[in-house]
Amino acid sequence: MKKPVRSIDDPEQKVPRADRPPSEGFVVVVDGHFKSEFETAEAAESSGRKLKSTYPMLKIEIYDAATRVRTLLG
């Protein structure tokens, strides 16, 4: 198959990489893997708690990209 041709005028797409931590915002970390990104800590924590209630065996953390700190959800 041929790859689509991109024009010079097309803006670069920002593709999030799963192997590098983000530089801004908050991320839900599931069993050591970066998953969903959020603008606020409250949104990330809400998503993490919902996931934890459905799957209590998972280790879920909230990663703050600005301070580079992980907080374990209990």
Side-chain angles (χ1 to χ4, degrees), residues 10-27:
D10 290 341
E12 290 284 329
Q13 293 181 347
K14 183 180 176 187
V15 178
R17 297 208 29 192
D19 61 340
R20 293 187 185 160
S23 58
E24 58 188 26
F26 298 87
V27 181

Side-chain angles (χ1 to χ4, degrees), residues 53-71:
S53 68
T54 306
Y55 303 100
M57 75 293 276
L58 295 177
K59 177 183 175 187
I60 300 184
E61 301 170 315
I62 304 300
Y63 175 76
D64 182 357
T67 61
R68 297 182 179 173
V69 173
R70 293 181 187 214
T71 306

Side-chain angles (χ1 to χ4, degrees), residues 29-70:
V29 181
V30 179
D31 288 339
H33 299 278
F34 294 109
K35 296 296 180 182
S36 305
E37 291 187 36
F38 296 92
E39 293 291 323
T40 65
E42 291 79 20
E45 187 173 336
S46 173
S47 175
R49 291 202 185 279
K50 183 177 177 185
L51 193 60
K52 185 73 172 179
S53 68
T54 306
Y55 303 100
M57 75 293 276
L58 295 177
K59 177 183 175 187
I60 300 184
E61 301 170 315
I62 304 300
Y63 175 76
D64 182 357
T67 61
R68 297 182 179 173
V69 173
R70 293 181 187 214

